[in-house]
Amino acid sequence: MWSRPRRAPRQTLTLERIVAEAVALLDEEGVTGLTMRRLAERLGTGSTTLYWHVRTKEDVLDLALDAVFGEAPLPAARPGEPWHEPVRALMGAWRSALLRHPWSATVLDRPLLGPNALARTEFLFQALIAAGFPAPGGAAHSLAGFVTGSVISQVTWQERAGEEVDVFLRERAGGWPALAAHGLAPDWDATFAEGLGYLLAGMEQARS
Amino acid sequence: MWSRPRRAPRQTLTLERIVAEAVALLDEEGVTGLTMRRLAERLGTGSTTLYWHVRTKEDVLDLALDAVFGEAPLPAARPGEPWHEPVRALMGAWRSALLRHPWSATVLDRPLLGPNALARTEFLFQALIAAGFPAPGGAAHSLAGFVTGSVISQVTWQERAGEEVDVFLRERAGGWPALAAHGLAPDWDATFAEGLGYLLAGMEQARS
DNA sequence: CTACTACTAGACCATCGATCCGGTCAGCGT
DNA sequence: ACGCTGACCGGATCGATGGTCTAGTAGTAG
């Protein structure tokens, strides 16, 4: 998607409108509710028309996902603050944006090559370099992967784990005593903060 | 899926055979290649028959994914070893199993409630408790999320990032200098080990 | 032998992503 | 003034999919 050139617009139906409506539709009905026909209908056009602006449905998802990344603000640099502050802020904003659109978790299995995603990745690399990591690749990928994994875990448990699953787990809790005692219904925000803290602490230790 | 009872078998076509063939088909053709019809055909039966053993296609994916988790061996306890050794071994095996079946990354957005996945999660919790973490929930979820995210990152970059994407990124590398300099074509094994090291180091620090 | 249940399958349905082909309309060179 | 080109639109349609309806068959318990 990102590597193909854009066309010159005539501005009746624009890529921007398509993406905005796609995000709205995804928010309302989830990933299975996104159909080219339904999306076209909401835009007051035919499904065929979409294919002039977009090559496949995958393109729509790529664009929608990058729009979500765009919601995560890049932290402003405050001189004198410890290096991990902007990193923590970025990862938190990253996570929040994804959680605000839970369908995004289902769709994270694609390369994040949109401009918004790349800008945030670049920010992360720069922050780590400024912090004194000469080879920030491992740290950056770890942080990004951690956010991705955390969001997916949380969303799948929250969304899919309804009554049925809960009952099932508690019924057989005897088979998984430690998990049942400490793993069910976690405080997701706290869990994320804790894990991010571990990562950053380990990185701080390796830095010095 | 996991919360529904099994039927008594007559053993011509069994759930086990279905799952094994599903994994094989997924390995060969990826997640888009898994069709109820194709799966049935490979099993020498009609697609309708599958629906007697399985309620939806989602069930097949649940089962296939749990079969993959089953490939990760549970580390044997060796007395006297540091607490993070079995944890590191488990996470490595977990990751390896998923990477051996790259389609699993596309399918990780579902609750991991199969017996194999739960057994490994339970092992993780117990190892952390034995290590002295009184409330291992945060640490365990962090580790699990980290593995999930790492695998997804690696698979998507490796699979989808072909020639086109590579060229695209290097062309515009000027826009993301730090990323281009340190983030492309990483050594995935080393990156995973590094990130896991950060996590474990941070946890060790919090423990003491 | 009968009845029951495990199990199989063909025909069929709605729906989906995507394409074919035929249009419409704005702007620009002449 | 004119017509042509290319941006843009959409109805009809294709092949395929997940899933159901209905009608069976075969092994087995009584």
Side-chain angles (χ1 to χ4, degrees):
Chain A
M1 172 73 219
W2 310 110
S3 44
R4 287 197 308 280
R6 286 276 295 277
R7 325 285 273 246
R10 201 208 286 168
Q11 299 294 32
T12 56
L13 183 59
T14 64
L15 247 194
E16 285 70 24
R17 276 189 62 213
I18 293 178
V19 175
E21 198 63 42
V23 171
L25 178 53
L26 284 163
D27 285 345
E28 291 174 27
E29 318 226 9
V31 93
T32 64
L34 178 70
T35 303
M36 296 304 268
R37 290 177 224 268
R38 289 176 58 78
L39 179 57
E41 189 184 356
R42 286 172 66 122
L43 288 163
T45 178
S47 76
T48 318
T49 305
L50 295 177
Y51 283 98
W52 195 91
H53 298 268
V54 135
R55 215 166 53 103
T56 70
K57 184 186 177 184
E58 294 281 289
D59 284 5
V60 178
L61 287 173
D62 282 339
L63 290 161
L65 184 59
D66 197 61
V68 169
F69 274 93
E71 290 182 11
L74 292 177
R78 265 178 301 204
E81 72 186 339
W83 69 271
H84 56 259
E85 277 305 331
V87 172
R88 203 189 300 266
L90 176 66
M91 303 323 273
W94 188 318
R95 169 175 178 264
S96 297
L98 293 175
L99 287 179
R100 221 173 292 132
H101 307 277
W103 50 267
S104 61
T106 317
V107 132
L108 281 173
D109 61 325
R110 63 190 67 235
L112 304 176
L113 295 174
N116 290 326
L118 282 176
R120 275 138 196 89
T121 307
E122 171 70 14
F123 182 96
L124 178 60
F125 273 83
Q126 287 187 5
L128 291 174
I129 291 175
F133 292 94
H141 276 110
S142 298
L143 287 164
F146 174 72
V147 173
T148 300
S150 299
V151 169
I152 291 182
S153 295
Q154 174 173 350
V155 169
T156 56
W157 281 84
Q158 283 185 166
E159 298 247 301
R160 302 257 221 147
E163 188 92 4
E164 184 190 15
V165 171
D166 223 51
V167 168
F168 162 74
L169 276 182
R170 296 193 191 281
E171 258 176 12
R172 326 209 175 175
W176 314 288
L179 170 59
H182 302 100
L184 303 179
D187 176 337
W188 289 105
D189 288 350
T191 297
F192 174 77
E194 183 181 335
L196 184 56
Y198 293 147
L199 259 182
L200 292 174
M203 291 166 57
E204 169 70 36
Q205 192 172 314
R207 191 178 67 111
S208 50
Chain B
M1 173 72 220
W2 308 110
S3 43
R4 288 197 306 281
R6 284 276 295 276
R7 325 283 274 243
R10 201 206 289 167
Q11 300 294 34
T12 57
L13 182 58
T14 63
L15 248 193
E16 285 69 26
R17 277 189 61 214
I18 294 179
V19 175
E21 198 63 42
V23 170
L25 178 53
L26 284 163
D27 285 345
E28 290 175 27
E29 319 226 11
V31 93
T32 64
L34 177 69
T35 303
M36 296 304 269
R37 290 178 223 270
R38 289 176 58 79
L39 178 56
E41 190 184 355
R42 288 172 66 122
L43 289 163
T45 178
S47 75
T48 319
T49 304
L50 295 178
Y51 285 98
W52 195 91
H53 298 268
V54 135
R55 214 165 54 101
T56 69
K57 184 186 177 183
E58 294 281 289
D59 284 5
V60 178
L61 288 173
D62 282 338
L63 291 161
L65 184 59
D66 197 61
V68 170
F69 274 93
E71 291 183 11
L74 291 176
R78 265 177 301 204
E81 73 186 337
W83 68 272
H84 56 259
E85 277 306 330
V87 172
R88 203 189 298 267
L90 176 65
M91 303 323 274
W94 188 319
R95 168 175 178 262
S96 297
L98 293 175
L99 287 178
R100 222 174 291 130
H101 308 277
W103 50 268
S104 62
T106 317
V107 133
L108 281 173
D109 61 324
R110 62 189 68 234
L112 305 176
L113 296 174
N116 290 326
L118 282 176
R120 275 135 196 91
T121 308
E122 171 70 13
F123 182 96
L124 178 60
F125 272 83
Q126 286 186 6
L128 291 174
I129 291 175
F133 292 95
H141 276 110
S142 298
L143 287 164
F146 173 73
V147 173
T148 300
S150 298
V151 170
I152 291 182
S153 294
Q154 175 173 351
V155 169
T156 56
W157 280 84
Q158 282 186 166
E159 297 247 302
R160 301 257 219 146
E163 189 93 4
E164 184 190 16
V165 170
D166 224 50
V167 168
F168 162 74
L169 275 182
R170 295 192 192 281
E171 258 177 13
R172 325 208 176 174
W176 313 288
L179 170 59
H182 302 99
L184 303 179
D187 177 337
W188 290 106
D189 288 350
T191 296
F192 175 76
E194 182 181 335
L196 184 55
Y198 292 147
L199 260 182
L200 293 174
M203 290 166 57
E204 169 70 35
Q205 192 173 314
R207 191 178 68 111
S208 50

